[in-house]
Amino acid sequence: MRQIGGGITVARGFSARSVFCGIKDGNADRPDLTLIASEVPSVAAAVFTTNRIKAAPVRLSTAHLRSAVTRAIVANSGNANACTGKTGDRDARSMARNCARLLRIDTRQVLVCSTGRIGVPLPMKKIERGLSLLSGSNVRMGSTEAARAIMTSDTFAKECAVQIKLDGKPVRIGGIAKGAGMINPQMATMLCFLSTDAAISKKVLQRFLVSAVEQSFNRITVDGDMSTNDSVICLANGLAGNSRDALSSSGDFQKALNFVTAKLARMIVEDGEGITRVIEVIVRGAASQSDALKAVRAIANSALVKCAWFGGDPNWGRVMDALGYSGARLREERVEIFYDNLCAVRGGVAIPSAKNLRTVTRKKQFKLTVDLHLGKGTDRILTTDFTPAYVEFNKGE
Amino acid sequence: MRQIGGGITVARGFSARSVFCGIKDGNADRPDLTLIASEVPSVAAAVFTTNRIKAAPVRLSTAHLRSAVTRAIVANSGNANACTGKTGDRDARSMARNCARLLRIDTRQVLVCSTGRIGVPLPMKKIERGLSLLSGSNVRMGSTEAARAIMTSDTFAKECAVQIKLDGKPVRIGGIAKGAGMINPQMATMLCFLSTDAAISKKVLQRFLVSAVEQSFNRITVDGDMSTNDSVICLANGLAGNSRDALSSSGDFQKALNFVTAKLARMIVEDGEGITRVIEVIVRGAASQSDALKAVRAIANSALVKCAWFGGDPNWGRVMDALGYSGARLREERVEIFYDNLCAVRGGVAIPSAKNLRTVTRKKQFKLTVDLHLGKGTDRILTTDFTPAYVEFNKGE
């Protein structure tokens, strides 16, 4: 496997076209509507938010995913089309229908995504004008423009791509993603679109995607809030010409997909609203896997722990406190805590010699490792500090 | 029932003596060690943190609570004596023993509480000097000084007292409490000491206290973090001379206890670190009681919802989002949301006429009511906004 440049359009047969249609009153320099399509029939897999309040496009795309063939994704930023009732459903359907007409395909072969403010109906006049522009010559082609078109509070475009060989044939996987607030395990406020030219069945692709998402987008957190619009979609069009059996039997495709999703997930965290540090929280030695997950989640989402990190303060006492209410089994007298490789706590109490913890906690990125010494459960989450800038950013007008 | 002045010493036979012993390098104007005692044998009830990491004094007090008689509470601020291993257990025991000697009672009749930084051993030389000062003439008497002695980041002393009549006899209940960070349902980072001269059995007192705590201290949140030291203790010495039967059969004592604990709980929220607003979140019409609790908790602890409140922004979309991931059953198309009496959302979508929501959300205190229209479950939590000042306050040195 090797990482290559580019993103959603590295796989053969995929194109992305983006335009600005003014959904947010913003500068026309940044597109806000994008259409990603395969020139030949492709299959799709997807993972959507587990939030019970689902945006209209999530409901529509869930239904369209039942189609054996999926050819395109249309996405807008600036408006989430969530909590918009029947109007929202009608608007999402209209977006799919317009794109289908443009591409001369069945409406059910188009998936729809929206991201932005909740509770405001989509400005359909603008969107319709944008959709009509997509067929013109004045569109912005390529992955980077598509990555920019789905940005909301993101500060940089997120792309990643790799190439692997499957029975001698080069196979490419590429993707784009956006963050940057309302980010929590069980799908962040985020969109991620992936494409591959691998020949793969819809069913196998879904299995690989679920596994990749579990280890990447479901292991990041910025603010503990889970959104109504989270969607990860992967299209595969088979143009690489590999044998499906070779793909299923080798672990290489899964590894490559994991790599791309993990990279994109890390970029989302690094671009978290107002953050100054990225921390990988690792729990090992838990009595079970689910205990390990409970423990990493409690630490990674604790407001007090995250505030201390903002100040570069190790404050392992708050980590102990979060462990204590996480629900994970623990014996206080066995707990060990490390900041990178420096041991702060052993046997549940501070190591007096650990004076230089701050040299770690003042870094832009570091690891916090907790060993519960109870079993073999282990898990990890990528999280951030919590800053006044985050609060200022999210206080509204 | 009528509210009266004072706090922990309004009930006959109770005294409080406080001293400054320099646990925090702070100004000698504020005491940091207090001893609350009944001059006659009393019974005790208590509710402690559910955090699996329990501070040494919590473990000791839990054991001492098995004693039929409890005469005194000794408490210090500035150091939580949590995550301090065997040294911590020894230090907590030593505090109890010293107080018992002073009062000429059994060590098991003394409960111990500590609040402050986690993970640093108690400065026992200072504490011992402080304990010896408690028997001298230079102590500060009374409830207010005791309330000040347990303050950490609190900005004001919290006291409340009431008087009721039980079969013609005046019965008093009073208390003190401290907050002000690490505050979340299932016991906040908080201490609350209550005393009453009611004649009541230990068992009945425990039942009343659990019920009162459930409706007060377990229904507040500031930052979603639950502490290792939370303790609510109530002493009852019987000096009012009421009949125990009269107390058990009338609901008056429970009501009075609820009143005092609710008042103290509200003061803790009002004194939350860096907050600018207090919001009562009410969920009604939930499919069950537990669904109602899940829903109020998710809203009251959402970082994004709380940031919006800081800015005086109604942002009901974030409320919908939190409802969606709360785990409570819901039908989007039935949800109704009110800010005070103004309806913002009906049938799951915005009411266009609701232009003046900001007149509510810019107030210092307001109510957010969500009606799920599914059943009869209802619950409420008192919460706050989330501010840059909170983050700055908790970022450490």
Side-chain angles (χ1 to χ4, degrees):
Chain A
M1 183 183 77
R2 68 189 173 86
Q3 192 170 355
I4 57 179
I8 190 78
T9 53
V10 297
R12 271 148 290 186
F14 285 96
S15 65
R17 21 182 72 217
S18 309
V19 295
F20 170 79
C21 65
I23 298 171
K24 304 178 275 207
D25 310 318
N27 66 56
D29 177 50
R30 200 206 271 181
D32 51 10
L33 185 69
T34 187
L35 176 62
I36 296 155
S38 170
E39 65 189 31
V40 297
S42 54
V43 296
V47 181
F48 297 108
T49 181
T50 58
N51 196 309
R52 287 189 188 187
I53 303 277
K54 292 181 207 303
V58 169
R59 293 195 295 256
L60 183 81
S61 294
T62 303
H64 283 193
L65 203 65
R66 282 189 225 115
S67 165
V69 170
T70 303
R71 286 282 292 271
I73 304 165
V74 60
N76 73 274
S77 59
N79 185 310
N81 193 11
C83 303
T84 43
K86 286 179 180 160
T87 309
D89 290 326
R90 202 166 49 231
D91 292 346
R93 246 191 335 264
S94 162
M95 282 176 74
R97 203 168 39 233
N98 274 292
C99 288
R101 206 172 291 148
L102 187 70
L103 299 170
R104 295 169 207 280
I105 57 176
D106 189 271
T107 301
R108 298 198 318 133
Q109 297 183 358
V110 180
L111 305 182
V112 180
C113 293
S114 298
T115 178
R117 180 128 183 157
I118 297 174
V120 184
L122 275 181
M124 284 310 288
K125 285 241 167 89
K126 291 179 179 177
I127 297 229
E128 276 158 20
R129 194 175 147 268
L131 291 170
S132 69
L133 288 175
L134 282 172
S135 58
S137 57
N138 211 4
V139 295
R140 306 165 193 224
M141 299 298 293
S143 174
T144 306
E145 290 296 323
R148 293 178 72 224
I150 57 174
M151 284 164 61
T152 51
S153 55
D154 304 67
T155 65
F156 62 87
K158 299 166 186 69
E159 300 176 88
C160 180
V162 296
Q163 179 169 308
I164 54 171
K165 288 228 166 156
L166 284 173
D167 61 319
K169 306 258 169 49
V171 170
R172 290 174 175 175
I173 305 176
I176 58 173
K178 59 85 48 181
M182 242 190 218
I183 297 289
N184 190 35
Q186 299 319 313
M187 302 295 289
T189 290
M190 44 145 304
L191 300 178
C192 172
F193 305 141
L194 300 154
S195 64
T196 177
D197 43 23
I200 185 170
S201 75
K202 189 175 169 75
K203 202 170 149 189
V204 173
L205 184 63
Q206 180 70 29
R207 179 155 47 86
F208 283 155
L209 185 65
V210 166
S211 175
V213 168
E214 194 56 26
Q215 297 307 314
S216 55
F217 301 113
N218 278 347
R219 290 296 184 281
I220 59 176
T221 184
V222 171
D223 51 19
D225 276 280
M226 180 212 300
S227 122
T228 50
N229 289 56
D230 302 333
S231 306
V232 179
I233 299 171
C234 183
L235 301 181
N237 66 10
L239 286 181
N242 59 286
S243 99
R244 293 189 177 195
D245 287 347
L247 185 147
S248 293
S249 59
S250 109
D252 291 350
F253 186 83
Q254 179 76 71
K255 268 185 215 149
L257 195 62
N258 288 353
F259 179 87
V260 174
T261 52
K263 278 274 179 189
L264 290 171
R266 176 173 274 273
M267 287 183 216
I268 286 177
V269 174
E270 286 172 349
D271 201 14
E273 283 163 1
I275 69 138
T276 69
R277 294 181 222 283
V278 173
I279 299 96
E280 187 174 6
V281 180
I282 302 161
V283 167
R284 61 188 192 209
S288 68
Q289 281 302 109
S290 71
D291 271 15
L293 182 55
K294 282 179 195 167
V296 283
R297 281 208 176 134
I299 297 166
N301 281 315
S302 157
L304 281 170
V305 168
K306 289 158 76 84
C307 287
W309 287 339
F310 167 61
D313 182 355
N315 208 325
W316 59 267
R318 293 180 183 172
V319 174
M320 289 287 277
D321 182 68
L323 276 175
Y325 65 70
S326 68
R329 277 158 288 181
L330 56 88
R331 292 226 198 143
E332 188 177 335
E333 67 279 14
R334 294 196 188 175
V335 176
E336 235 178 6
I337 301 179
F338 298 84
Y339 291 83
D340 279 349
N341 297 318
L342 294 181
C343 186
V345 173
R346 180 162 289 148
V349 295
I351 287 193
S353 65
K355 294 286 180 211
N356 36 6
L357 297 177
R358 273 165 209 279
T359 58
V360 175
T361 51
R362 282 184 183 146
K363 295 198 300 182
K364 286 268 169 227
Q365 308 213 350
F366 62 89
K367 280 183 195 178
L368 175 86
T369 307
V370 174
D371 197 329
L372 297 176
H373 287 290
L374 289 176
K376 291 185 172 171
T378 183
D379 214 323
R380 60 187 62 214
I381 282 183
L382 218 51
T383 185
T384 65
D385 58 348
F386 215 178
T387 71
Y390 174 89
V391 180
E392 288 290 348
F393 189 85
N394 284 295
K395 74 177 183 185
E397 302 127 63
Chain B
M1 183 183 76
R2 68 188 174 87
Q3 192 170 354
I4 57 179
I8 190 77
T9 54
V10 297
R12 271 149 289 186
F14 285 97
S15 65
R17 22 182 70 216
S18 308
V19 295
F20 171 77
C21 65
I23 299 171
K24 304 177 275 204
D25 311 319
N27 66 55
D29 178 49
R30 198 206 272 180
D32 51 11
L33 186 69
T34 187
L35 177 61
I36 296 155
S38 170
E39 65 189 30
V40 297
S42 55
V43 296
V47 180
F48 297 109
T49 181
T50 58
N51 197 308
R52 287 189 189 186
I53 303 277
K54 292 181 206 303
V58 170
R59 293 195 294 256
L60 183 82
S61 295
T62 304
H64 284 192
L65 204 66
R66 283 189 224 115
S67 165
V69 171
T70 303
R71 287 281 292 272
I73 304 164
V74 59
N76 73 275
S77 59
N79 184 312
N81 193 12
C83 304
T84 43
K86 286 181 180 158
T87 310
D89 290 326
R90 201 166 48 232
D91 292 347
R93 244 189 339 263
S94 163
M95 280 176 74
R97 202 168 40 234
N98 273 293
C99 287
R101 206 173 291 148
L102 187 72
L103 299 170
R104 294 170 209 280
I105 56 176
D106 188 272
T107 301
R108 299 199 317 134
Q109 298 182 359
V110 181
L111 304 182
V112 180
C113 293
S114 297
T115 179
R117 181 128 183 156
I118 297 175
V120 184
L122 275 180
M124 284 309 288
K125 285 241 166 88
K126 291 179 178 176
I127 297 231
E128 275 158 20
R129 193 174 149 268
L131 291 170
S132 70
L133 288 175
L134 283 171
S135 59
S137 56
N138 211 5
V139 295
R140 304 163 195 227
M141 300 297 295
S143 173
T144 306
E145 291 295 325
R148 294 179 72 225
I150 57 175
M151 283 162 63
T152 51
S153 55
D154 304 67
T155 65
F156 62 87
K158 297 164 186 69
E159 302 176 86
C160 181
V162 297
Q163 179 170 308
I164 55 172
K165 288 227 167 160
L166 285 172
D167 60 319
K169 306 259 169 49
V171 170
R172 289 173 176 176
I173 305 176
I176 59 174
K178 60 86 49 181
M182 242 189 218
I183 298 288
N184 189 35
Q186 299 318 316
M187 302 295 288
T189 292
M190 44 145 304
L191 300 177
C192 172
F193 306 140
L194 300 154
S195 64
T196 177
D197 42 24
I200 184 170
S201 76
K202 188 175 171 76
K203 202 170 150 189
V204 173
L205 184 62
Q206 180 70 29
R207 179 156 47 87
F208 284 154
L209 185 65
V210 166
S211 175
V213 167
E214 195 55 26
Q215 296 308 314
S216 55
F217 301 113
N218 279 347
R219 289 296 184 282
I220 59 175
T221 184
V222 171
D223 52 19
D225 276 280
M226 180 212 300
S227 122
T228 51
N229 289 56
D230 303 334
S231 305
V232 178
I233 298 171
C234 183
L235 301 180
N237 67 11
L239 287 180
N242 59 288
S243 100
R244 292 190 177 196
D245 287 348
L247 185 146
S248 294
S249 60
S250 108
D252 291 350
F253 185 84
Q254 179 76 70
K255 269 187 217 148
L257 194 60
N258 288 352
F259 180 87
V260 174
T261 52
K263 278 274 181 189
L264 290 170
R266 176 173 275 272
M267 287 184 217
I268 286 177
V269 174
E270 287 172 349
D271 200 14
E273 284 164 359
I275 68 138
T276 70
R277 295 181 221 283
V278 173
I279 299 97
E280 187 173 7
V281 179
I282 302 161
V283 167
R284 63 188 190 209
S288 68
Q289 281 302 109
S290 71
D291 271 15
L293 182 55
K294 281 178 196 168
V296 283
R297 281 209 176 135
I299 298 166
N301 281 316
S302 158
L304 281 170
V305 169
K306 289 159 76 86
C307 287
W309 286 339
F310 166 61
D313 182 355
N315 207 325
W316 60 267
R318 293 180 183 172
V319 174
M320 289 287 277
D321 181 70
L323 276 174
Y325 65 71
S326 69
R329 275 159 289 183
L330 56 89
R331 292 226 198 142
E332 188 177 336
E333 68 278 14
R334 293 196 189 175
V335 176
E336 235 178 6
I337 301 179
F338 298 84
Y339 292 83
D340 279 349
N341 297 317
L342 294 181
C343 186
V345 173
R346 180 162 290 148
V349 295
I351 288 194
S353 64
K355 294 283 179 212
N356 37 7
L357 296 176
R358 275 166 208 279
T359 59
V360 175
T361 50
R362 282 183 183 147
K363 295 198 300 183
K364 286 267 170 229
Q365 309 212 348
F366 62 89
K367 279 183 196 180
L368 174 85
T369 307
V370 174
D371 197 328
L372 297 177
H373 288 291
L374 289 176
K376 291 185 172 172
T378 184
D379 214 322
R380 59 186 63 213
I381 282 183
L382 217 52
T383 187
T384 64
D385 58 348
F386 216 178
T387 71
Y390 174 89
V391 181
E392 289 290 347
F393 188 86
N394 283 296
K395 74 177 183 185
E397 303 127 64

